[in-house]
Every structure is written in structure tokens, then in C-alpha cells.
Amino acid sequence: MGYRNLSECVYDLEKTGQLIRIDTELDANLEIAAVQRRVYQSGGPALLFTRVKGCSFPMLGNLFGTLERTRFLFRDTLPAVLHLLSLKTDPMRLMKSPAAWPGTLRGTLNLLPRKVSRGPALDCQTRIENLPQLVSWPKDGGPFITLPQVYSESVSRPGWRHSNLGMYRVQLAGNQYRPNEEVGLHYQIHRGIGCHHTEALEQGKPFRVNIFIGGPPALTMAAVMPLPEGMPELCFAGLLGGRRVPLICQPGQLPVPAEVDFCISGTVIPNKTLPEGPFGDHLGYYSLQHDFPVLAVDRVTHRRGAIWPFTSVGRPPQEDSTFGAFIHELTGPLIPELVPGVKAVHAVDAAGVHPLLLAIGSERYAPFAEQQAPQELLTQASALLGTGQLSLAKYLFIVAGQDNPQLDIHDVPAFFSHLLERVDWQRDLHFHTRTTIDTLDYSGSGFQQGSKLVIAATGPVQRQLPCELPGDLFLPAGFRKPRIVLPGVLVIEAPAHHAPRGEADTAAQSFCNAIDPEQSINGFPLIVLTDDSDWTARNLNNFLWATFTRSDPAVDSYGIGAHTVSKHWGCSGSLVIDARRKGHHAPALEDDPVIEKKVDALGAPGGPLHGVI
């Protein structure tokens, strides 16, 4: 049976040696987040900060810090959840042999929430200023809730059956928000709450929102799950948590899970937005100030002994990377059913998740053809870019599984080699220009505006990928320090970028124009221009992060021997991606040296984190 509330979870983790208490007084302004990030990087335990400066509530960090601990939290229910998700593709399996699925049958009993008239979540009232004021990075615009569960309902079909529970960050103070009366509600495109908000505005009805913090871990995980349409997150929380979610239902109020630790209730102010941010986000940069909806706060309640769970995001991997890994374990087997012919997908965490999506598909349209070319792969790519959160992918690399049945999609170097051995740059580049991109991605032509690139490759090996620099390598003036980061992938240091946003850069263009497609450098099918080739090539994570977070496909893709035929762009030589920093990019996150020294002291002999960090 799963945890009834967060306190039970903390007790269990401490009892099993997976949580430590930190009784040293620490500040929620920068210090606590820095500690959590450091402990995550060391693979350490969950952390209960019992003395938060100026705040009476303890804070819980690194709860989902390892995949092993996340599995442990849901150990009693995982088999039933996996079985039930598999039945989405073939429900008759359960009907044909119900005796073989007893855990699944019991699990379905927990899908429906149960209504209650009261619960501990409403026992006490407080104010926004009394909540933990977590600031994760030095340039953040104020304190944020980083593990919120934002609950909304359809105004035309009220009730939990047509609800959305999503993790949309919340700014508690700062900027132009009225203290204790307003909070900022940041939600990105392609999110369920947007449909509810649009509906309320169209009908001129108040848009009520509840923000839950804490409660059983299943509620937090449900808020980030990409669930099948029609399954409310509250149902999944009951399934994953091993018990029906008790909902406090009061007249005129949105329901509140009885066991959450905090609840902020309010109404989104119609047609009002205020600047939200900056905020150090999971791409490793600051998302800058932009106007987002404002929640007028009616009340703030909490349970007795409430605990404030939090995380701190930044350049991956971070704790939220575990969410992605756990979600993949649950939903990965469903991909072939959601998109026929697709065998596997991998949103690359080191590249910021949405900037780079790898996929293994199938090429079955013309098995009789002497020469295979991407056909079905393009159909599958279009389907992937129209499926839930996968639609946020900026670069989609897709290959045919039959070309190498043993290819592991999580082996990124092997995947790159497989694709680059087969790709034809004159045929296999497919751009989506002037489209939407992730709200947090500043590489595009404007806010939430940019492009996408599908690279689809199939067929026999066309080239051997070089692992050494050729002796006659030629570089134009101003370009230097060529470094091989992967077989067939060359990183080159280039002059600083100066082009206006959304326009081609003359230096990158001159690089391509100065090289003939027959020159030896074209043995490297992929060339990346960067500000610091030594740093970019130092390890795979640096290469992935810099290349795919710092480029907009339609603007920053160049080619040696480039040409356009019937509006299809390609090149006879190497593909060149400009991954230099641009003037419109958001600042990268950097640790505060003073704060880091304080964290070092906690790990010194006699400190609470000695032996942990």
C-alpha cells in the first residue's frame, strides 16, 4: 500500500537510510537549492531541512533524486501500473484471463477519487509571505514554487472528471505582484491548463485554480505524467499511490486532496498579465521576464506539521531528469501503439530534453525497391511532432530499425554514428519553418517562435566516419581549433556571432563558401561551429547541450555545397550547425561562488553532509 501523505514517506525514507535531516540553519534564498543540486550530483539521499531561516516550515529536497529511490516510493504499485498501461493497447487481455492480473484488478479500484467533507489540508491558514521563499539561482526574479500541482477544471463541465493537474511553476513574490494577494502562474504552450483558461475566457466565467504542494508522492508524479487523453491525473495518482485520492469537496470551491501539505486557492484575473521571471530553468539558462497570467489569492491553507517539497532545476542532468527516466519506464512501451511503426523514442536529457528527440522507426512502404529512401519515416516523424509533449521537439533524428535491429536508442554516440553513416544531406533534411517551439527555448526567431528540423535516414552505409583529422585539413581564416567529438562530428572554434536575430550569419556563410565539397573536411558529415571548441568537445554532454540549445534549425543550419531544388534545401558537402552564443540568447546559469563555499563547509568533516558530497 502506498503512502497516505508526505510525512509517512519521509518517515519511511529515514527509517531505510534514504533520507538525512539537516538541522543547520540554512536560507531558502540560494543556499538550500545549492545544497540540493550538489547532493543530487553526488547521487545522495533525500534531504529534510529542519531549520529554514525565517520560516517555520521544513523543506524536503531531492526526494526523486535517484531513479532507484523513485522506484522505491512506488514499489507496491509499479507492477499493476505497468500492466494497466499495457492494457491500453489490448484491454481484452484482462477480460480473457483476469486471474493472471490480480494486482491490476485491485489497482483499478483506486482509480476513482473519493469525496470527503473535511481533511488535514484545510486545518490551518497562513499567508504567502510565511511560505518557504525558495530562490534557486542568483538572477531569479523572486521566490518560486518548483514542485507545484496546479489544478483546474473545465468551466462548462466542472468536476474532477474534466480536470487537469499539471506542474506549472508559480512565482510567489517579486516583480509587480501585490504581496500576499497575487502570484504568477507560468504555463508553457501545449499544456492542459491552457484549454481550460481559454474556455473560461470565451464564456466569461471565473477561472478558478488551486495550487497544491506536497501530499503523497504519487500526486507530484501524476502532475508531470503525459497521460492518455481522458484520464484525469487524480485517477493516475490513485493508481500509482495505491489508494483512492480523498478529495475535500465544499460548495463553491474546487476540490482539494485531503492529504496535501499546502493549498493556495484563487481566481485567475481576466485579461491581466504581469512580468514573470527570470527563472533558472531546466535548459540550463534563465527564462527571461515575460507576461503571464496572475492568480488572485483567496486563501492559503496547510496541514499541521506541513512539509514543503521542492526541487532546483538547471543544466541537465538534475533531479527533474529522474522524472523523465521514470516516465519513460512507464510509457515507453506504449510508443509503438501511439505511433504505428515507431519502435522507440528518446528525448535527450543532456540536450535539454525538448531540443533533441531521437527515434527509431520503420521503413516498410516499398520493400521491393532496390534503393531505400525515407518514406514511412517521414510519416512517423510527422506523427511524433503531433503527439503531446513530443511536439515540442526542435531537432528530430529518426532512423529505420531494420537497418540495425540491435541499435540502442539510449546509446547516443552509436545512434549518431548510425545516422551519419547513412544520411544524404541532399535528400534527408526536412525543415518546419516559422512554427512554435518550447517556451523556455531562446534560440528561435522570437518568443515561442522558431523552427524544427527532421533528419530521416535509412538504407545501407554510405560512408566511413573519420576518427582522425586529415593531414590536408583546410580552415578559412578566423576558424581554428578543430576537435573531433564523435566519429564523423567535427567541432570548430569560430569568430563571435554578430548577425541580427533570425538572420543568417556572414561568418558562418563565408566558412561554407570558402570550402569546396571535394575537400577532405567533408569526410566529417556534421560540423558544429562553437565559441570554444575545447570545452564543447570535452565530453558528450557539453556537445549535446551547446549544439542543440544554441541553434535554431532554419537559421543556424548551413551547408558546404548548399543548394535549393523545388524549395528543398540540401548540401553536397558537410552540414554545418552554428552553435555559437547569440545576442538574443538567455544567460547561462552560473553558481554563486560564495554560496558554493558554504555548501563545501557542510561537506567538511563534522558537517551534516560529510561523506555525502
Side-chain angles (χ1 to χ4, degrees), residues 139 278-281 283-290 439-444 501 545 549-550 581-589:
K139 296 179 183 178
F279 177 77
D281 65 44
L283 263 69
Y285 304 90
Y286 286 98
S287 56
L288 304 179
Q289 275 196 1
H290 297 285
T439 304
L440 305 181
D441 192 332
Y442 286 85
S443 67
R501 186 172 193 173
W545 185 63
T549 66
R550 296 179 179 176
R581 293 295 308 273
K582 283 88 176 176
H584 56 274
H585 286 181
L589 301 178

Side-chain angles (χ1 to χ4, degrees), residues 175-335:
N175 297 346
Q176 301 172 32
Y177 300 117
R178 291 183 295 167
N180 295 305
E181 297 179 16
E182 295 176 340
V183 298
L185 186 58
H186 174 116
Y187 64 83
Q188 298 157 249
I189 58 175
H190 299 278
R191 298 304 197 266
I193 190 175
C195 299
H196 288 167
H197 194 180
T198 299
E199 184 183 47
L201 289 173
E202 289 175 347
Q203 298 188 23
K205 294 181 178 180
F207 183 45
R208 301 279 302 161
V209 168
N210 278 352
I211 302 167
F212 312 133
I213 303 97
L219 277 171
T220 299
M221 188 59 67
V224 297
M225 279 293 295
L227 296 177
E229 188 173 348
M231 174 181 268
E233 288 80 6
L234 289 176
C235 293
F236 185 79
L239 178 69
L240 186 62
R243 57 179 74 235
R244 297 173 67 188
V245 176
L247 288 181
I248 305 171
C249 297
Q250 298 179 337
Q253 301 287 333
L254 291 180
V256 178
E259 296 288 347
V260 295
D261 288 74
F262 299 86
C263 176
I264 301 172
S265 300
T267 303
V268 175
I269 303 174
N271 303 313
K272 178 178 181 178
T273 58
L274 286 176
E276 183 266 359
F279 177 77
D281 65 44
H282 71 259
L283 263 69
Y285 304 90
Y286 286 98
S287 56
L288 304 179
Q289 275 196 1
H290 297 285
D291 288 345
F292 278 95
V294 180
L295 184 75
V297 177
D298 296 336
R299 65 176 182 176
V300 182
T301 66
H302 66 89
R303 63 183 302 134
R304 292 183 176 87
I307 299 171
W308 185 273
F310 76 96
T311 191
S312 175
V313 296
R315 179 187 162 183
Q318 297 289 347
E319 185 182 2
D320 58 325
S321 302
T322 305
F323 286 139
F326 186 72
I327 289 169
H328 179 78
E329 284 192 356
L330 296 181
T331 63
L334 297 178
I335 291 295

Side-chain angles (χ1 to χ4, degrees), residues 353-538:
V353 181
H354 295 316
L356 177 61
L357 179 67
L358 309 181
I360 297 176
S362 306
E363 193 55 67
R364 303 166 296 187
Y365 279 3
F368 50 83
E370 291 186 10
Q371 183 175 357
Q372 288 291 315
Q375 298 179 79
E376 186 181 9
L377 288 181
L378 298 179
T379 300
Q380 292 160 354
S382 295
L384 287 171
L385 292 178
T387 301
Q389 296 301 302
L390 299 178
S391 64
L392 292 175
K394 182 168 64 174
Y395 287 88
L396 169 56
F397 295 177
I398 185 168
V399 299
Q402 61 263 40
D403 291 335
N404 180 2
Q406 283 72 49
L407 182 63
D408 180 359
I409 198 166
H410 294 283
D411 186 343
V412 175
F415 188 97
F416 266 70
S417 292
H418 177 96
L419 181 140
L420 294 175
E421 286 172 344
R422 292 165 172 80
V423 73
D424 180 349
W425 295 136
Q426 300 187 78
R427 178 192 68 190
D428 296 338
L429 297 165
H430 307 275
F431 291 89
H432 294 228
T433 60
R434 301 185 68 83
T435 186
T436 56
I437 60 174
D438 186 7
T439 304
L440 305 181
D441 192 332
Y442 286 85
S443 67
S445 55
F447 183 54
Q448 298 181 158
Q449 299 175 357
S451 62
K452 299 178 185 296
L453 172 59
V454 173
I455 299 179
T458 188
V461 171
Q462 295 192 28
R463 64 181 67 83
Q464 297 300 314
L465 303 177
C467 296
E468 296 181 358
L469 294 174
D472 60 346
L473 180 70
F474 165 76
L475 292 180
F479 295 85
R480 62 195 191 108
K481 292 186 177 181
R483 300 289 185 264
I484 298 174
V485 64
L486 290 171
V489 181
L490 188 64
V491 176
I492 297 174
E493 197 165 296
H497 184 278
H498 294 296
R501 186 172 193 173
E503 295 185 14
D505 181 72
T506 54
Q509 193 64 63
S510 68
F511 173 86
C512 295
N513 292 341
I515 299 174
D516 188 274
E518 302 304 319
Q519 290 179 251
S520 62
I521 194 173
N522 292 280
F524 294 87
L526 178 60
I527 298 173
V528 175
L529 303 181
T530 183
D531 299 300
D532 185 341
S533 58
D534 286 333
W535 179 88
T536 303
R538 186 171 300 156

